Amino acid sequence: MSDVRQQAPAVPWQRGVEAPEPSAWTGWVVFGGMMMILLGSFQAIAGLVALFDEGYYLVVNDELLVSVNYDTWGWTHLVIGLVALAAGIGLMSGAMWARVLGVAVAMISAIVNLAFIAAFPLWALMMITLDVIIIYAITAHGGELKSTA
């Protein structure tokens, strides 16, 4: 006779406890994840423009808050964009690493765009606003998405 043991289910509500009902705030986290994907796309586009068309921006790189060439800004925005895309995709699954990475990337993005504000003011202000909304969405109710994912 073989000794067959039942393994405990990994999810608590499979043991007879009902799954927690998602609150209306879960939508904010999904919104934050989608905005993170959008932010990553925007950052990548800004990075590619800085790499390929330096004449597009309003000022020469000597007049920027942080005086570096547009190739450096381009690579910075492109890397932030790619990391933000990964964090946004991870947020949609409720992963804790994505929440931490998402907040960190949004904070770095806001700081980078503040330093980039002289080159393209309207774009930088829009990106900073988007960063703040993402930080709120992820931090205020980020744990609720994991329970529904």
Side-chain angles (χ1 to χ4, degrees), residues 58-123:
L58 297 176
V59 297
V60 294
N61 54 1
D62 293 342
E63 296 177 19
L64 291 172
L65 182 61
V66 177
S67 183
V68 294
N69 63 20
Y70 278 113
D71 288 337
T72 304
W73 279 115
W75 284 109
T76 302
H77 283 287
L78 190 58
V79 168
I80 290 172
L82 294 176
V83 174
L85 277 168
I89 292 168
L91 275 172
M92 301 307 283
S93 68
M96 182 62 170
W97 65 266
R99 289 176 57 202
V100 173
L101 184 62
V103 171
V105 168
M107 290 172 60
I108 291 169
S109 172
I111 293 167
V112 165
N113 280 292
L114 181 64
F116 197 66
I117 203 163
F120 210 37
L122 184 61
W123 181 268

Side-chain angles (χ1 to χ4, degrees), residues 15-63:
R15 285 183 248 148
V17 179
E18 285 189 35
E21 286 293 319
S23 72
W25 292 106
T26 305
W28 266 102
V29 184
V30 173
F31 173 78
M34 294 304 292
M35 289 296 104
M36 197 69 164
I37 292 169
L38 188 63
L39 171 77
S41 301
F42 285 169
Q43 289 285 19
I45 290 168
L48 291 173
V49 169
L51 286 172
F52 297 123
D53 187 10
E54 293 180 11
Y56 182 78
Y57 294 106
L58 297 176
V59 297
V60 294
N61 54 1
D62 293 342
E63 296 177 19

Side-chain angles (χ1 to χ4, degrees), residues 117-139:
I117 203 163
F120 210 37
L122 184 61
W123 181 268
L125 289 173
M126 182 179 71
M127 297 306 290
I128 292 169
T129 303
L130 189 57
D131 290 324
V132 171
I133 291 169
I134 288 170
I135 291 169
Y136 171 75
I138 294 172
T139 57

